[in-house]
Amino acid sequence: MPAIPADPTVLHPMPEQPRVVLLKPLITSPLIEVGEFSYYDDPDDPTAFETRNVLYHYGPERLVIGKFCALGEGVRFIMNGANHRMDGPSTFPFPIMGGSWTDHFDLITGLPGRGDTVVGHDVWFGYRTMVMPGVRIGHGAVIASGSVVVDDVPDYGIVGGNPAKLIRRRYDDADIARLLALAWWDWPIEHLTAHIRTIMSGSVDGLEAAAPR
């Protein structure tokens, strides 16, 4: 009997664990893009991800998360809408308080931002990590629990701390180049299904041997 792939359109891939949701079938915002099989784990309400975990998202910047990413409980993405002016004596956003103060709304519109926040494929976010606006996180990266990511993270980098710093890379440069060329996350789902054990626990050589021809 042929192996049957998992279904990327199911909201709860583990029905007995409602705390786990696949994000792609959950997301409704046109400013958020998530690849297949990326999931979020939260014992409270994982289905509120868009409002509880993506904060100050007033646009136009986008949040892009790749395929096969694992997001632990309490992961937060701070978007550019959280920005305040810092070029005057006060950072307080007076115009949002109402009244005649709204006449000065131009002072808080069009503030400079860092652009889209982009997460690659196969990224693991530990418990209660925070990603600041405009950060780009490479494929295969690991973000340690409690980290505050303020700068870009390289492919297959492991970062931790506040602010997060590079601890080490999971592979050397040559193997990272091979892994990026193999891009197993783009393999046809049937082929990927046949080689799960190699993808999870094999070597780079083994992955190359298993790649579609």
Side-chain angles (χ1 to χ4, degrees), residues 23-24 27-35 38 40 49-66 69 71 75-80 115-120 125 130-137:
L23 290 172
K24 186 176 177 66
I27 297 301
T28 61
S29 170
L31 295 175
I32 303 176
E33 176 185 331
V34 184
S38 287
Y40 176 55
F49 178 85
E50 284 183 275
T51 55
R52 293 181 55 186
N53 301 81
V54 184
L55 307 178
Y56 313 107
H57 199 192
Y58 311 129
E61 293 82 9
R62 301 168 66 240
L63 170 62
V64 180
I65 300 173
C69 291
L71 282 66
V75 172
R76 298 284 189 272
F77 294 91
I78 308 297
M79 304 302 288
N80 281 302
D116 296 341
T117 299
V118 180
V119 177
F125 291 88
M130 182 180 296
V131 179
M132 299 304 286
V135 165
R136 293 177 177 264
I137 298 175

Side-chain angles (χ1 to χ4, degrees), residues 104-121:
H104 307 287
F105 222 88
D106 62 294
L107 291 172
I108 59 174
T109 57
L111 290 173
R114 294 185 60 186
D116 296 341
T117 299
V118 180
V119 177
H121 305 298

Side-chain angles (χ1 to χ4, degrees), residues 115-191:
D116 296 341
T117 299
V118 180
V119 177
H121 305 298
D122 189 28
V123 177
W124 175 19
F125 291 88
Y127 177 77
R128 293 193 177 178
T129 60
M130 182 180 296
V131 179
M132 299 304 286
V135 165
R136 293 177 177 264
I137 298 175
H139 305 306
V142 177
I143 315 300
S145 295
S147 297
V148 178
V149 184
V150 301
D151 293 313
D152 293 353
V153 178
D155 294 315
Y156 292 92
I158 300 175
V159 301
N162 180 10
K165 301 294 184 183
L166 182 65
I167 299 170
R168 64 179 177 88
R169 299 180 80 175
R170 295 174 55 199
Y171 296 92
D172 63 26
D173 289 344
D175 280 345
I176 289 173
R178 294 166 70 195
L179 288 164
L180 295 177
L182 288 165
W184 64 260
W185 42 80
D186 289 331
W187 291 2
I189 190 67
E190 292 79 13
H191 191 85

